[in-house]
Amino acid sequence: MARYDRAITVFSPDGHLFQVEYALEAVRKGNAAVGVRGTDTIVLAVEKKSTPKLQDSRSVRKIVNLDNHIALACAGLKADARVLINRARIECQSHKLTVEDPVTVEYITRYIAGLQQKYTQSGGVRPFGLSTLIIGFDPHTAVPSLYQTDPSGTFSAWKANATGRNSNSIREFLEKNYKETSGQETVKLAMRALLEVVESGGKNLEVAVMTKDQGLRQLEEAEIDAIVAEIEAEKAAAEAAKKGPPKET
Amino acid sequence: MMKIDFSGLDASVPLCGNTDELCNEISTEQKFELPTAADFDGFQREAVQMVKPAKGTTTLAFIFKEGVMVAADSRASMGGYISSQTVKKIIEINPYMLGTMAGGAADCQFWHRNLGVKCRLHELANKRRISVTGASKLLANILYSYRGMGLSVGTMIAGWDETGPGLYYVDSEGGRLKGTRFSVGSGSPYAYGVLDSGYRFDMSVEEGAELARRAIYHATFRDGASGGVASVYHVGPNGWKKLSGDDVGELHYLYYPVEPASVEQEMTEVSGS
């Protein structure tokens, strides 16, 4: 098997592209990212590993804008992400120039996935080591969308999804607890999902909310702390209710 | 004594291994013939001017309450010779978009069909129809890339998309204008006169069609390069529909029927010898 993982253009005898699978491993080691789609709000929440004291945290934004109405979060190699994001941003503007219309979420996702696929079928290059979560509202129909791409170049739409570290447990939580939400409820659902695997606290989460009218809004640390407190309180109340009323003697 | 090896600079050695046609072109001396002209710099400009035929036609389109009205004549002329009276100058790009032809007939037909292909590919890739804005932009970009090479296209792209009725003027200079009333061709001044004075936004489909028909008729009356049949199309929310195609000669007698002249002097048979 070791002979088939050098040049990624080569299939292994049992049909694997090993470089692509190793790229997926790199993604699994990246920080956890969650995306949840509501009826009028879409939320991205990303785990923020503890920042060194001297680092300016503003330069390490994990949730970025591709255009006014589209945002992206990713898990995996951040340097690869930078390259992909730059190409996607150029494509968003180029599309606006040629057809005088902003891109739809599906179009830009297809473009990014196409780019990732190209690098799995070229000589001398390696695949991008990241999976992305792309959210946005389509320009005319105002339909909210959440898409995910991965290093192999496949993409699909989701109601809610997670990628990166412990994504399986987060996805399980989402499958159990997902329901159609809107506004603040969507934010809480996304954060509750991420808090399953991340230490609670404003400094460990980066949360961004996208609405049709206001575009992307990054939540402040204080806001995140407040919502976390709400979530903890709700959890405690639910626990208490489960235990039942105290026994009367 | 060692000699410098100049073999790499030897031009006769082919660059690639197998000597196919491409290699011969690369390895032999590059040269091309200069045109024999007195004014070397100006002659190219003259050539373009000669190739660029005057747009002998009348086409018009306007947006109104009920959608877009598109009309054109059907005469093709080569200088003073009328080569055809039955040219289709309104080209059906797809069921909800029309293009008009002015300038070189071949250029217009080919690039409109090419635009139709691009629009269909856009639909297939993006699962929704392309907007009139987008379609006109695709055509304008193509024509701009051929700027100065002698294409002659003066077209209007009319259609109905999600944002409502759309009308754009696109030409082979690379220009693209959005507007509500356009007329293109040698007969356009005459058509504009009738169109602008009779235009109201809240016309009905019949009134709009009649205005378009009359404008084309008047242009064909005064302009020698326009004539034949006045075709009128309407683009509505469900796509385009051809409303009429009337011979302009017949339209003349419809608008200006011949009055029976009052007889001043009548010739009678001379009861003769």
Side-chain angles (χ1 to χ4, degrees), chain A residues 95-102 104 106-107 110 139-141, chain B residues 122 125-128 131 133-134 137-138 141 162-163 168 176:
Chain A
H95 186 272
K96 259 196 201 159
L97 194 61
T98 42
V99 292
E100 285 190 14
D101 228 1
T104 57
E106 200 255 341
Y107 178 93
R110 205 162 4 108
H140 296 295
T141 54
Chain B
H122 179 103
N126 296 289
K127 291 184 234 180
R128 47 193 284 256
S131 59
T133 315
K137 194 101 190 224
L138 287 178
N141 287 340
E162 280 169 355
T163 58
Y168 285 82
R176 174 175 166 268

Side-chain angles (χ1 to χ4, degrees), chain A residues 34 36 170 173-174 188-198:
Chain A
V34 175
V36 177
I170 306 179
F173 175 87
L174 284 170
K188 276 207 234 160
L189 178 57
M191 286 176 63
R192 258 187 296 143
L194 193 56
L195 286 170
E196 290 282 305
V197 302
V198 165

Side-chain angles (χ1 to χ4, degrees), chain B residues 59-62 64 68-72 89-91 98-100 156-159 167 208 212 216 231-235 240-241 243-244:
Chain B
T59 59
L60 62 84
F62 57 87
F64 67 119
V68 196
M69 204 56 87
V70 184
K89 296 194 187 179
I90 297 181
I91 299 161
L98 293 174
T100 59
M156 294 178 284
I157 305 292
L167 178 62
I216 295 288
S231 311
V232 181
Y233 283 66
H234 172 244
V235 189
W240 58 259
K241 183 158 177 270
L243 296 181
S244 65

